[in-house]
Amino acid sequence: MTASPARAQRFREFKMPDVGEGLTEAEILKWYVQPGDTVADGQVVCEVETAKAAVELPIPYDGVVHELNFGEGVTVDVGTVIISVDTDPGAGPAAAPAADAPQQPAPSAEEDAEPQGRQAVLVGYGAAPSSTKRRARKQPGVPAQPEAAGGALQAELNGRAAPAPAVTPVPVPAAPPAPAAPAAGAVPTAGRPLAKPPVRKLAKDLGIDLATIAPTGPDGIITREDVHAAAAPAAAASAAVAPAPVAVAPAAVPAGGGERRVPVKGVRKATAQAMVASAFTAPHVTEFITVDVTRTMKLVQELKQDPDMAGLRVNPLLLVAKAFLVALRRHPEVNAAWDEVNQEIVYKDDVNLGIAAATPRGLIVPNIKDAGSKTLPELAAELGDLVATARDGKTSPAAMSGGTVTITNVGVFGVDTGTPILNPGESAILAFGAVKLQPWVHKGKVKARQVTTLALSFDHRLIDGELGSKLLADVAAVLERPKRLITWG
């Protein structure tokens, strides 16, 4: 039973948007409204965390909050309704769209006028509908249905089989009457059941065969709720026949020991996946160089007193970034990416310089767009804004996309250097170690000098040993004699 057009027009549903290109889910961190609260078009109603950042979502309707579909801490797929709004609360009480109605509400005239495809919302994009059409499969004893019944969302589900056509259910004599809710005894659908990878994993973990589940999601998609509903009767049946369990004492925990488990999600999950993908996809090579940066450290102190740098944060990282950019200008072929699909090397004109930042939510790598064109004061301002935004957890997904090379400042932790892993899609990453006072041969005499170690990891598919060595040597040369910022810049 579908909701009437008037009811659908009154109760507007807001779906989880794709707040960053290609994201498939987000966790609801906090609700700023509750049912009964009045909201205005553009008002922020919740904060969600994606695999890239925390983002506040504004509602695109005026009205009164009717229902919050999910609580805080719940991970929701993109395209799933998270909140409904009564846009005409003065019209008196009215039932919201039936929860058990699988059909979508009839669109309003205004919605009909919108173009098909991904629709922009106030933040990000709506779920991308698939344009794939497949011929309905025939089943023995069941007449073929019209081809229009075979709409597809397979591109979003990462599956390969066509969605099951709408058919008349085949009665199974031995099965009991079908309950209203999905059950494990439901009639299997034709072809491969439609479900997203996380749902398939959940079903596998629970020992549920997806083919036995009646889907309730749009276009015949099996949802998490369907899997849990199918698992509940099986668990109850097992409990009914199983003997009373024998109490077993838990294993002894050593004094002062124990463990704590935390779900891997959000930024931490994305970082883990990215690092594994990078480490086992791009052949890494890491080279090291130790350099006397005494002159650079003196320049840092002088710049702090320069009127042109007033109000800007001047630190060694700023000059390391500038040295890296000067070296990249001398070796532009480093600023590239590997296109595995087309088997091509893509050379980039702009250097989008990533800065690895440790935040309470995990490691993120926002980048400064076209950093090579920035003056030193402009670069200092961009670095200051980037770090402040990252610490506040307000870095946007756009700020973390499109990077070409990265700097990671491990020296702030007192670490000499490391072997950094490439940010996926980038060609090189420079690790800047701690600056320490060490004995150093300077002008033929051993003196105490400020010394640091740099490490450069690069994608050996793009950069051979000679090119990588020249790049690292040039960065060190600029830091050893910072006047090269002028002569080489």
Side-chain angles (χ1 to χ4, degrees):
M1 178 178 180
T2 60
S4 67
R7 179 179 296 169
Q9 179 69 18
R10 175 177 174 180
F11 290 92
R12 304 301 297 272
E13 297 177 330
F14 180 63
K15 300 178 180 180
M16 177 70 75
D18 178 1
V19 294
E21 291 294 337
L23 299 179
T24 60
E25 62 183 18
E27 177 188 354
I28 298 176
L29 293 180
K30 184 177 181 180
W31 281 108
Y32 296 120
V33 297
Q34 295 298 325
D37 290 352
T38 301
V39 293
D41 186 357
Q43 178 180 337
V44 173
V45 295
C46 69
E47 182 182 22
V48 301
E49 182 181 40
T50 69
K52 295 183 177 181
V55 181
E56 293 182 332
L57 298 183
I59 193 78
Y61 314 123
D62 293 323
V64 174
V65 177
H66 177 75
E67 183 180 11
L68 304 181
N69 291 26
F70 299 94
E72 296 176 354
V74 177
T75 299
V76 181
D77 293 333
V78 167
T80 304
V81 176
I82 60 175
I83 181 175
S84 60
V85 175
D86 185 351
T87 59
D88 189 15
D100 59 348
Q103 296 88 348
Q104 296 293 326
S108 63
E110 179 182 348
E111 290 171 331
D112 284 338
E114 294 178 352
Q116 298 297 318
R118 301 189 81 190
Q119 300 298 318
V121 292
L122 293 178
V123 173
Y125 297 84
S130 172
S131 59
T132 307
K133 299 294 181 183
R134 299 179 184 268
R135 182 178 300 169
R137 296 182 178 179
K138 294 183 178 180
Q139 288 186 317
V142 179
Q145 299 298 311
E147 194 169 356
L153 286 179
Q154 203 65 36
E156 289 185 357
L157 303 178
N158 297 325
R160 295 183 173 81
V167 298
T168 303
V170 179
V172 181
V187 178
T189 56
R192 187 188 186 202
L194 296 181
K196 294 186 178 181
V199 178
R200 293 184 182 277
K201 183 178 183 303
L202 174 63
K204 181 179 179 181
D205 293 341
L206 295 177
I208 301 298
D209 184 358
L210 288 176
T212 65
I213 299 177
T216 62
D219 295 305
I221 299 173
I222 296 174
T223 65
R224 287 188 178 92
E225 290 73 18
D226 295 338
V227 175
H228 284 300
S238 299
V241 299
V246 178
V248 179
V253 179
E259 63 181 24
R260 181 170 59 95
R261 293 176 178 265
V262 178
V264 179
K265 55 185 177 181
V267 175
R268 174 63 60 189
K269 180 178 180 180
T271 301
Q273 293 173 340
M275 292 300 96
V276 170
S278 177
F280 293 98
T281 300
H284 286 54
V285 172
T286 304
E287 296 185 337
F288 307 89
I289 190 168
T290 303
V291 58
D292 177 1
V293 293
T294 304
R295 292 187 178 93
T296 291
M297 299 304 290
K298 289 181 179 179
L299 179 58
V300 169
Q301 298 305 317
E302 293 173 2
L303 288 173
K304 288 182 178 180
Q305 309 302 321
D306 193 314
D308 291 334
M309 304 296 288
L312 299 174
R313 185 172 182 178
V314 179
N315 54 25
L317 178 61
L318 172 63
L319 294 187
V320 170
K322 192 63 177 177
F324 196 19
L325 292 169
V326 169
L328 286 166
R329 188 178 300 128
R330 289 167 59 85
H331 305 285
E333 57 271 34
V334 170
N335 197 46
W338 182 272
D339 186 343
E340 181 67 29
V341 175
N342 296 312
Q343 288 294 292
E344 295 175 341
I345 296 176
V346 183
Y347 292 99
K348 307 291 184 71
D349 295 330
D350 297 338
V351 177
N352 295 337
L353 179 63
I355 304 294
T359 73
R361 291 191 174 95
L363 176 68
I364 62 173
V365 189
N367 60 77
I368 300 172
K369 310 299 183 187
D370 194 15
S373 67
K374 309 291 184 185
T375 64
L376 192 63
E378 290 173 342
L379 188 61
E382 293 267 7
L383 272 172
D385 291 343
L386 179 149
V387 172
T389 303
R391 287 177 178 171
D392 292 340
K394 302 300 182 183
T395 304
S396 67
M400 291 184 283
S401 63
T404 57
V405 295
T406 289
I407 295 177
T408 177
N409 184 9
V410 297
V412 296
F413 306 110
V415 175
D416 291 336
T417 191
T419 54
I421 297 178
L422 293 169
N423 205 28
E426 298 185 4
S427 60
I429 179 170
L430 178 70
F432 174 35
V435 178
K436 297 181 178 180
L437 201 62
Q438 295 183 13
W440 194 264
V441 177
H442 178 67
K443 296 181 179 179
K445 297 181 179 180
V446 176
K447 298 182 178 181
R449 304 287 287 180
Q450 290 177 295
V451 177
T452 190
T453 300
L454 305 174
L456 180 74
S457 293
F458 52 86
D459 187 342
H460 215 346
R461 297 174 300 180
L462 299 165
I463 304 170
D464 57 26
E466 179 186 9
L467 179 58
S469 300
K470 287 181 177 179
L471 176 69
L472 182 58
D474 280 356
V475 175
V478 172
L479 294 176
E480 184 177 19
R481 295 181 179 273
K483 68 179 182 180
R484 291 189 171 107
L485 290 171
I486 300 174
T487 57
W488 288 3

